[in-house]
Amino acid sequence: MGFPQNFLWGGATAANQYEGGYAEDGKGLAVADLITDGNKEQPRRIFYRFPDGREGTIGLGECIPAGAQGILKDDYYYPSHVATDFYHHYKEDIALFAEMGFKVLRLSISWTRIFPNGDDQQPNEAGLAFYDKVFDEMLTHGIEPLVTILHFDMPVHLATAYGGWANRKLIDFYLRYASTVFQRYRNKVKYWVTVNEVNVLGGYWTLGLSNDAASEAGSKKSYNQGETPDAEAGLKFQALHHLMVASALANKAAKIINPDFQMGAMLALSGIYPATCHPEDVFGAYAFRRKALLFSDVLFHGEYPNYAQSIFDEYGFTLKMEQGDAEILKAYPSDFLAFSYYRTTVFDRFSANTTTTGGQQGAPNPYLQTTAWGWPIDPDGLRYVLNELYDRYQKPLFIVENGMGAKDTVNADGTIEDDYRIDYLRGHIRAIKEAIEKDHVPVMGYTPWGCIDIVSAGTGEMAKRYGMIYVDMDDKGHGTLKRSRKKSFYWYQHVIKTNGEEL
Ligand code: P53
């Protein structure tokens, strides 16, 4: 049997890492535009300034001090500003995706292209027109858009003037934005994802959060993406509650505009294993997994599960639900579960990191190889997670991110032999096939991450490449932006052509 005939093969991107054109045609500033480049020694950071002129920096996932505003500094490099310039290369890129045989392309809309400040009364027509051109180009090539409404995109103005998602007003601003794009593209887009990786969002970067606890941010350790200092976690959970209410209300608005819309919730769901069969490792891993599943439980079951309070208790947090919230969550669940899967994490009772939820940290796994960035490579884990998620939700699953960040070498003749990437993708596609054939799990599609090279979210590097199409651009923005086909391009083209039969 193998993959279903209508299986959606494709690739995935996000505006903040791919589009560039950060100030063109009326686009407003997003927090993503304020994040510097980075590397192993110097993590990415955001500069801020108080009205009295004092300045400082925060890392990804941290909150900005109350009263400060994120700023752009001269002499620093900001990778989102040009990124790999989809803004000016969309025709060429879509043609290349079509050549590979893509049935679907995942991309995100930039909120500040449509509402430059986030709270504007009227949308920016030039921003809307850009995505019309993009979707038209895709449809001409028979490529279905899968659109993420919010992918690590936070209008700076909404963070500064409202305190970001901690403020319930954000629900209305998001809905105005979502309804605008639903209406505008109702005949062009069918598949939507309301929020990217809701379970790893945090801090100023993605939620626009500020508070006093972060005011000595300079003296704090820097946090990884998705990690939040304990003192701020309460704020984070409240903000994420608002985001989930907004997501449910977007589902409602979408079905009124077009009942055929398919609405996806999206989580980072790389898997988690216990380090040993010690009962504390086993239960610890189980409890750790719940920190991610908490969010899909709310978005699919329509209510906070029993164990939510035990997670909140770790932070002394009490959720504030307003009248109507419970009914909204119950009435408008998502249609399908989209998720990213890159790796698995090992939970060990001695060195457990208790704050992250997407499976990013953890003890080493002696049975698995890792990428150059230390991410364990685990195709079998994908079959496990597909089963885990279908058992729990009985909703169609869509793997909307998967892949291996790796350094590529361009040979003298211009070819790029990325056999390591082919091996990674082959293993994972095989695992999906097993989940479909042997376990009878319904999978809608597969869109490997960064199908064309884009900026890494976590490190800000270009060197951490995921693409099957190479883009000539380096970590500091030098390069011609010329596109070339890697070996994996031809390999994936054949995979799609044979509907996953020949790997
Ligand atoms: P990069 C980990 C760290 C940062 C972002 O990550 C992440 C994850 C994995 O869950 O989420 C997704 O670029 C995200 C993408 C991102 C991709 O992982 O740090 O949705 O935007 O690019 C890969 O290698």
Side-chain angles (χ1 to χ4, degrees), residues 14 16-17 106 151-152 196-197 200 205 225 266 268-270 340 342-343 358 360 375 401 405 449 454-460 464 466:
N16 76 89
Q17 290 157 259
R106 177 178 179 223
H151 191 130
F152 298 166
N196 185 62
E197 292 188 340
V200 303
W205 173 26
Q225 194 260 347
M266 193 314 191
L269 287 170
S270 292
S340 62
Y342 289 93
R343 51 175 289 173
Q360 290 88 351
W375 294 19
E401 286 183 37
W449 181 246
I454 59 179
V455 176
S456 156
T459 73
K464 192 178 184 190
Y466 287 87

Side-chain angles (χ1 to χ4, degrees), residues 175-212:
L175 275 177
R176 190 184 298 166
Y177 160 49
S179 303
T180 300
V181 297
F182 292 153
Q183 189 65 38
R184 177 79 171 215
Y185 309 122
R186 66 189 182 281
N187 298 320
K188 299 183 182 179
V189 179
K190 178 177 171 195
Y191 298 100
W192 301 88
V193 163
T194 51
V195 186
N196 185 62
E197 292 188 340
V198 62
N199 60 313
V200 303
L201 305 184
Y204 177 64
W205 173 26
T206 49
L207 296 175
L209 300 182
S210 69
N211 73 2
D212 295 299

Side-chain angles (χ1 to χ4, degrees), residues 84-95:
T84 44
D85 203 27
F86 180 63
Y87 202 69
H88 300 105
H89 290 76
Y90 69 91
K91 283 196 178 181
E92 180 186 350
D93 291 357
I94 291 167

Side-chain angles (χ1 to χ4, degrees), residues 194-434:
T194 51
V195 186
N196 185 62
E197 292 188 340
V198 62
N199 60 313
V200 303
L201 305 184
Y204 177 64
W205 173 26
T206 49
L207 296 175
L209 300 182
S210 69
N211 73 2
D212 295 299
S215 60
E216 323 100 355
S219 64
K220 281 187 179 172
K221 84 175 180 85
S222 64
Y223 294 87
N224 290 315
Q225 194 260 347
E227 265 191 303
T228 305
D230 285 5
E232 298 153 16
L235 192 65
K236 180 182 88 166
F237 286 124
Q238 191 62 44
L240 291 173
H241 173 68
H242 299 153
L243 199 49
M244 290 196 287
V245 171
S247 175
L249 286 170
N251 290 346
K252 176 186 182 188
K255 299 283 177 170
I256 294 169
I257 291 170
N258 184 344
D260 290 337
F261 279 173
Q262 290 296 302
M263 304 302 297
M266 193 314 191
L267 276 83
L269 287 170
S270 292
I272 292 156
Y273 300 134
T276 71
C277 51
H278 189 293
E280 282 176 27
D281 281 341
V282 176
F283 190 76
Y286 188 79
F288 191 64
R289 188 58 162 168
R290 281 173 156 178
K291 289 186 171 177
L293 297 174
L294 166 63
F295 300 94
S296 34
D297 281 358
V298 173
L299 294 166
F300 288 98
H301 296 155
E303 58 190 28
Y304 281 84
N306 59 302
Y307 63 83
Q309 191 56 48
S310 73
I311 294 174
F312 297 159
D313 284 347
E314 280 180 41
Y315 307 98
F317 170 67
T318 308
L319 182 68
K320 287 191 275 306
M321 294 265 265
E322 293 229 334
Q323 222 189 336
D325 284 2
E327 292 73 15
I328 290 165
L329 292 173
K330 198 76 195 170
Y332 309 106
S334 307
D335 297 317
F336 66 94
L337 174 53
F339 67 100
S340 62
Y341 177 94
Y342 289 93
R343 51 175 289 173
T344 46
T345 294
V346 169
F347 177 93
D348 121 30
R349 65 194 183 283
F350 303 114
S351 57
N353 179 314
T354 55
T355 54
T356 195
T357 56
Q360 290 88 351
Q361 270 97 35
N365 187 329
Y367 305 102
L368 301 176
Q369 310 264 310
T370 59
T371 70
W373 274 262
W375 294 19
I377 301 170
D378 186 4
D380 294 331
L382 177 53
R383 180 176 173 195
Y384 181 101
V385 167
L386 283 164
N387 277 277
E388 175 197 31
L389 297 178
Y390 195 68
D391 282 355
R392 194 170 182 113
Y393 302 113
Q394 306 278 304
K395 293 280 186 183
L397 302 173
F398 203 138
I399 301 137
V400 296
E401 286 183 37
N402 173 240
M404 175 196 207
K407 279 205 167 102
D408 291 327
T409 310
V410 185
N411 297 325
D413 65 355
T415 57
I416 298 143
E417 291 167 299
D418 54 342
D419 293 284
Y420 37 90
R421 184 170 291 111
I422 294 173
D423 289 344
Y424 179 103
L425 296 172
R426 178 191 289 122
H428 287 77
I429 294 173
R430 206 171 264 155
I432 300 167
K433 197 165 183 229
E434 288 188 345

